[in-house]
Amino acid sequence: MKERFIDITFQTRYRSGDAYAKPREFYNQVLPCTKLYRRAVGFFSSTSFLEISYGILSLVKNDGKMQLITSPRLNEDDVAAIKKGYESRENIYLRAFAREMTLPKTINEQNRLNILANLIEMGILEIKIAVTKNPEFSMYHEKIGLFVDDDGNKVAISGSMNESETAISENFESFQVFCGWYEGDAERVKICEDDFNAMWQNKQNALEVFDFPELPTAFIQKYKNKSFSKSELIEKSFSINSDEDVEIEKALPPNIPTMPEWLQLHDYQNEAIENWQKQNYRGIFDMATGTGKTLTGLSALTRLFSDRFPEKLFAIIVCPYQHLVEQWVEDIVKFNIQPIIGYSSSPQKDWKTRLKKAILDMKLRPKDKRFSCLVITNVTFKSKFVQEQINNISADILLMIDEAHNAGAGNFKKYLDSRFIYRLALSATLDRHNDEEGTAFLHGYFENVCIHYDLERAIDEKKLTRYKYFPVLVYLTEDELDEYKHISREMSQHLRKNKSGKMVLDSYGEMLAIKRSRIVAGAQNKLDALREQIKAYKNQNNLLVYCGATTVIPENDKDELLNDFDKSEVGERQITAVTKILGNEMGMTVSKFTSEEDIETRKIITQKFKEEKIQAIVAIKCLDEGVNIPSIKTAFILASTTNPKEYIQRRGRVLRKFDGKDYAEIYDFVTLPRELASVQNYTKEELQGDSTLVKNELRRIKEFSHISMNEMTSLNLIDEIQTVYQISDKDLFENNSQEESINE
């Protein structure tokens, strides 16, 4: 028969110094009988569950749950930021909780934290946070607890102890125990219960108690590495407290690249690695976005270290953006690698010291320190400090560059030299748009294409999802067209020949090209077209509206249209206008996703989007920056581009596989100079300025449509545009260097 509270002999006080009444003993007694565990504490630490995991897991067996009220541990900087309003309270609270989510030290701890993450995801553990309403009071610091068994018997505790491992195991703590079935304790138990109820329902005058879904989301993201069913968790509850425990760093040789047991590479990934190996570990992985470039690259690194062992290897992985570095780190650690994370706001504040030490250790302790890994942004890679440190490395160096097309730029190329014996370029589109010189340099430096795995093959082999493509015609207004043509004429005066004899724009001409591209990207009519197209989706989820980094100019401000190249304050940014349309006009749940959101906020938005708590993300640049949001099902692409690198990447990121995603939908807002029906009313000379824009948009429609599920839908439109403008296929794809130079 199951034990009840009234069958347990509780001590009236549990105190750290008592031999038979230690705080941990109380938890191990009471929780296996508990149906509902309600706890309010000043501070919460994830490590508390390492001490009481047996009892907590017993709640699963009892079909019970835990309700926790806790508060963030704010430091002086946090309090100052709240008082001065530097950033939102939510961000400050989340950062404070993140500090308490320490990494596990052992495999056992890692497993327990994973179980806790499962409990949160299942709703067995609910968390609310409490903060004082008066900003002069920095924290909620009360500690009460209430336990209820199947019979409705209640036990209450009150004392000094927080819900943390330190409090349970290390601090000298004590708390009083009150049993509701004893006449002398009943009133005290009721007081605890009433106090907790008032807080849980946010009816405590001095406190604000509210749901903070960002905390559970962050905890799950940090600690969950395997899913369990309830029955599996019940089994775990009897085995998790094993005396056998292995330190994580001793489970495998420290910092030695090792293939994860769970990773089974596809044939094309093995093919890429084998070709790279045959070509003296130099090459290019030309792989469509979403086909596993990161895991293939790390597997190649592991192969190189294994093949060259016991020689020393220093791996440098370079990514264009900070959030990409963090995405890489999430995978790097799965290969038993402890990377040095190098960029200005790195979570490793001492990364420069770590880098110097790693280089020195390789020099002084060559038998012990055979491998190091630095993952870094493009900007930091080119910094004087990092370049000086690279010169001090006394080992063979592997240089792996993600989104390697960026490395073909003039200010990047000079850093790619003979110091890097082993080289690997990762890119879906290594060829640089309108930059033959940069493209040739990249192919010459990295030498060999080890694999070409394009979108069409990836879709055919079911590594990416199928898609339907819907081009949506949008026309420039009369003022926009006049300005577009004016800038085009001015651009034609800023052409020069490059070294290969091709006509290219000078630096001022390139600035003009940016001005002109903003006109197309921010075309006023796109907003009305979006309203019309998104109506059918207003009750659906997993939507992305992809905006241009542009400005929508009110009609009465057209005379000032971007007369300053950096003038982004004029009018509303397109993303703001779109957010208002979806959120205010259509009543959809929507979130912005831009450079203004930090890495942690982006993770939370992505998780909420996946869980369908947010219907739509309105974004700038995320599809170009490698952001991984596989749950996107329908994309409305307002951001016009003629750069194949950009629109191929954008499409690939929408096509990532996701449960329940049979196919994706892409609405591409195609911008033409004027309505097709009116073209016949203009002379050939008047239409001459239309040619570049029309051809650029046609090329993109053809590229998107030719492997779509509904290609015929686009073929009719393509035929109509080509007929109206008298553009043949030969005209569309012939090499016209001057026209390409002044395109968008």
Side-chain angles (χ1 to χ4, degrees):
M1 182 176 176
K2 181 179 175 181
E3 194 172 27
R4 302 169 300 169
F5 287 168
I6 59 175
D7 300 321
I8 301 172
T9 302
F10 290 109
Q11 305 297 319
T12 57
R13 181 189 66 179
Y14 287 79
R15 194 164 183 254
S16 299
D18 292 347
Y20 301 104
K22 292 180 179 179
R24 189 191 304 181
E25 301 305 320
F26 168 78
Y27 279 101
N28 286 336
Q29 280 183 304
V30 72
L31 283 172
C33 309
T34 299
K35 179 79 171 182
L36 176 63
Y37 175 24
R38 313 183 82 184
R39 187 78 163 112
V41 293
F43 299 128
F44 170 72
S45 168
S46 59
T47 57
S48 64
F49 288 85
L50 302 176
E51 290 297 314
I52 57 173
S53 57
Y54 176 88
I56 291 294
L57 282 168
S58 293
L59 289 174
V60 184
K61 183 180 179 182
N62 299 341
D63 197 26
K65 64 167 39 180
M66 176 178 179
Q67 294 174 336
L68 175 69
I69 299 173
T70 188
S71 63
R73 189 191 298 265
L74 303 178
N75 59 29
E76 292 181 2
D77 291 340
D78 296 332
V79 175
I82 289 174
K83 288 181 178 179
K84 294 179 181 180
Y86 287 151
E87 58 181 311
S88 70
R89 285 193 173 208
E90 288 75 12
N91 285 345
I92 295 169
Y93 297 155
L94 185 60
R95 185 170 62 237
F97 280 119
R99 289 196 296 264
E100 301 304 312
M101 295 181 192
T102 56
L103 290 173
K105 297 176 183 178
T106 68
I107 298 296
N108 200 353
E109 289 181 5
Q110 186 178 61
N111 291 339
R112 294 186 190 187
L113 289 171
N114 175 54
I115 288 171
L116 176 58
N118 275 267
L119 293 177
I120 293 173
E121 194 168 53
M122 289 178 180
I124 293 171
L125 169 57
E126 295 181 82
I127 303 175
K128 293 188 179 185
I129 76 165
V131 293
T132 59
K133 290 182 179 179
N134 187 338
E136 296 302 316
F137 300 135
S138 61
M139 67 188 71
Y140 165 71
H141 202 250
E142 190 176 37
K143 295 102 176 175
I144 59 175
L146 185 73
F147 305 82
V148 184
D149 68 10
D150 273 331
D151 294 339
N153 296 312
K154 298 168 185 176
V155 173
I157 62 172
S158 179
S160 66
M161 193 173 70
N162 282 309
E163 201 74 4
S164 68
E165 182 183 24
T166 301
I168 294 172
S169 299
E170 299 177 18
N171 291 350
F172 195 97
E173 305 275 2
S174 69
F175 55 84
Q176 303 289 325
V177 177
F178 308 103
C179 300
W181 55 94
Y182 294 147
E183 185 176 350
D185 287 353
E187 184 177 353
R188 293 177 181 270
V189 171
K190 186 176 187 307
I191 290 172
C192 286
E193 184 175 23
D194 290 345
D195 287 347
F196 190 94
N197 285 335
M199 287 189 293
W200 192 256
Q201 297 167 20
N202 194 24
K203 294 180 179 178
Q204 175 60 250
N205 292 335
L207 296 174
E208 182 181 5
V209 179
F210 56 94
D211 292 321
F212 192 61
E214 291 83 356
L215 173 57
T217 297
F219 198 102
I220 291 167
Q221 288 178 342
K222 189 174 186 72
Y223 294 122
K224 185 183 174 186
N225 54 54
K226 181 180 179 182
S227 296
F228 292 111
S229 65
K230 280 194 174 184
S231 59
E232 289 172 328
L233 283 175
I234 291 171
E235 293 177 9
K236 289 284 180 186
S237 69
F238 296 103
S239 61
I240 195 66
N241 280 319
S242 169
D243 291 334
E244 295 181 8
D245 209 354
V246 182
E247 292 182 17
I248 288 176
E249 57 267 26
K250 292 181 180 178
L252 290 169
N255 207 28
I256 296 298
T258 306
M259 290 291 290
E261 292 183 5
W262 52 264
L263 180 59
Q264 296 293 321
L265 295 177
H266 299 294
D267 290 344
Y268 67 87
Q269 293 173 305
N270 284 317
E271 173 194 341
I273 296 168
E274 288 166 7
N275 287 338
W276 186 62
Q277 181 183 26
K278 291 174 185 176
Q279 294 162 5
N280 298 316
Y281 309 101
R282 292 188 180 185
I284 298 161
F285 289 178
D286 183 0
M287 299 169 62
T289 299
T291 58
K293 290 194 302 293
T294 302
L295 293 179
T296 311
L298 290 171
S299 298
L301 183 162
T302 304
R303 172 78 64 87
L304 169 61
F305 183 78
S306 175
D307 291 347
R308 306 299 291 177
F309 190 82
E311 295 179 21
K312 295 181 293 182
L313 178 67
F314 201 109
I316 300 175
I317 301 172
V318 185
C319 309
Y321 307 104
Q322 293 181 10
H323 67 268
L324 279 186
V325 168
E326 294 301 325
Q327 286 183 21
W328 269 84
V329 169
E330 290 177 7
D331 286 321
I332 288 171
V333 296
K334 297 172 184 175
F335 284 74
N336 192 44
I337 297 172
Q338 300 158 18
I340 301 163
I341 306 169
Y343 59 87
S344 58
S345 56
S346 168
Q348 295 177 350
K349 303 302 181 185
D350 61 341
W351 71 267
K352 291 184 178 181
T353 303
R354 293 185 187 211
L355 178 57
K356 286 182 178 180
K357 184 178 185 302
I359 293 171
L360 186 62
D361 282 347
M362 272 196 165
K363 188 176 294 185
L364 300 181
R365 303 166 58 191
K367 291 184 179 180
D368 300 327
K369 301 294 182 180
R370 297 191 181 276
F371 177 79
S372 280
C373 176
L374 169 67
V375 57
I376 196 168
T377 60
N378 289 359
V379 171
T380 310
F381 171 73
K382 294 183 289 183
S383 69
K384 180 180 178 182
F385 170 79
V386 169
Q387 289 298 313
E388 287 175 349
Q389 298 311 308
I390 291 174
N391 290 335
N392 294 330
I393 295 174
S394 60
D396 291 343
I397 305 175
L398 164 65
L399 178 65
M400 188 188 312
I401 301 183
D402 191 21
E403 306 293 354
H405 45 270
N406 295 301
N411 66 344
F412 202 130
K413 291 186 293 187
K414 64 183 180 182
Y415 300 101
L416 305 185
D417 51 35
S418 59
R419 292 174 297 175
F420 308 108
I421 295 177
Y422 309 120
R423 305 167 188 172
L424 182 55
L426 308 177
S427 182
T429 51
L430 190 67
D431 292 354
R432 291 174 56 80
H433 186 50
N434 285 337
D435 184 8
E436 293 178 359
E437 183 180 333
T439 299
F441 172 83
L442 291 174
H443 282 276
Y445 186 75
F446 291 99
E447 297 185 6
N448 306 289
V449 177
C450 301
I451 185 171
H452 176 68
Y453 195 81
D454 61 16
L455 275 172
E456 186 168 7
R457 179 179 169 189
I459 292 172
D460 286 344
E461 296 181 3
K462 295 181 171 46
K463 301 304 183 296
L464 294 176
T465 191
R466 304 172 300 160
Y467 70 97
K468 293 181 179 181
Y469 174 65
F470 304 98
V472 180
L473 283 190
V474 175
Y475 303 102
L476 297 178
T477 65
E478 186 175 340
D479 288 340
E480 288 169 342
L481 179 56
D482 287 345
E483 184 68 15
Y484 180 91
K485 293 169 74 171
H486 170 74
I487 296 174
S488 297
R489 288 192 294 270
E490 192 175 357
M491 287 168 62
S492 67
Q493 305 302 312
H494 292 274
L495 291 165
R496 60 174 177 81
K497 284 188 178 181
N498 64 9
K499 294 178 182 179
S500 62
K502 181 179 178 180
M503 299 299 294
V504 297
L505 291 167
D506 61 22
S507 58
Y508 187 79
E510 289 174 350
M511 294 176 73
L512 289 171
I514 293 171
K515 273 183 71 173
R516 192 180 69 170
S517 70
R518 289 178 180 173
I519 295 172
V520 178
Q524 187 71 33
N525 288 330
K526 287 185 178 180
L527 298 181
D528 286 335
L530 175 65
R531 282 186 179 95
E532 187 61 31
Q533 296 299 326
I534 209 167
K535 280 180 183 176
Y537 295 87
K538 66 176 296 184
N539 296 318
Q540 296 190 25
N541 295 292
N542 307 115
L543 310 177
L544 169 72
V545 182
Y546 191 61
C547 300
T550 184
T551 300
V552 178
I553 310 298
E555 288 296 326
N556 58 358
D557 287 339
K558 291 294 182 182
D559 292 340
E560 300 181 21
L561 180 62
L562 295 176
N563 51 18
D564 179 73
F565 293 127
D566 297 321
K567 196 167 189 177
S568 59
E569 298 86 2
V570 182
E572 289 184 300
R573 293 178 70 196
Q574 191 179 72
I575 190 168
T576 304
V578 169
T579 303
K580 287 181 178 178
I581 290 171
L582 271 61
N584 296 351
E585 294 182 21
M586 309 190 79
M588 300 172 67
T589 54
V590 59
S591 180
K592 291 197 298 184
F593 198 101
T594 70
S595 59
E596 296 175 3
E597 285 73 46
D598 60 25
I599 291 171
E600 289 303 319
T601 303
R602 286 185 172 200
K603 288 181 180 179
I604 292 166
I605 292 171
T606 301
Q607 182 65 24
K608 286 185 176 181
F609 184 75
K610 175 183 174 182
E611 295 170 353
E612 299 187 353
K613 295 177 181 177
I614 295 174
Q615 288 178 266
I617 287 175
V618 183
I620 292 177
K621 297 293 285 179
C622 73
L623 296 184
D624 300 332
E625 295 177 352
V627 173
N628 183 18
I629 312 178
S631 52
I632 297 169
K633 291 183 180 178
T634 306
F636 300 85
I637 301 180
L638 303 184
S640 301
T641 180
T642 61
N643 187 336
K645 172 185 74 66
E646 292 181 353
Y647 59 67
I648 288 172
Q649 282 185 322
R650 291 173 185 178
R651 177 175 39 162
R653 300 198 198 287
V654 175
L655 304 185
R656 292 179 185 271
K657 302 283 282 186
F658 189 74
D659 288 344
K661 181 176 171 181
D662 296 327
Y663 63 88
E665 295 177 308
I666 299 174
Y667 286 81
D668 181 16
F669 288 71
V670 175
T671 309
L672 296 182
R674 61 189 88 240
E675 294 190 22
L676 291 177
S678 70
V679 171
Q680 61 183 351
N681 300 325
Y682 294 88
T683 65
K684 188 173 182 180
E685 289 72 22
E686 289 174 318
L687 295 174
Q688 189 172 2
D690 295 8
S691 177
T692 298
L693 178 55
V694 173
K695 287 182 181 180
N696 286 334
E697 297 293 88
L698 271 172
R699 293 187 189 106
R700 190 174 73 250
I701 298 172
K702 286 203 168 198
E703 170 63 33
F704 270 68
S705 65
H706 86 279
I707 57 173
S708 66
M709 298 167 63
N710 59 332
E711 182 182 9
M712 291 303 298
T713 303
S714 301
L715 290 180
N716 293 332
L717 176 61
I718 291 169
D719 183 63
E720 182 182 4
I721 296 173
Q722 289 190 232
T723 300
V724 168
Y725 276 98
Q726 299 180 25
I727 299 173
S728 67
D729 286 341
K730 181 180 179 182
D731 293 333
L732 192 58
F733 294 103
E734 69 181 359
N735 182 23
N736 185 329
S737 62
Q738 179 167 320
E739 184 176 272
E740 287 182 357
S741 296
I742 62 173
N743 69 16
E744 292 183 85

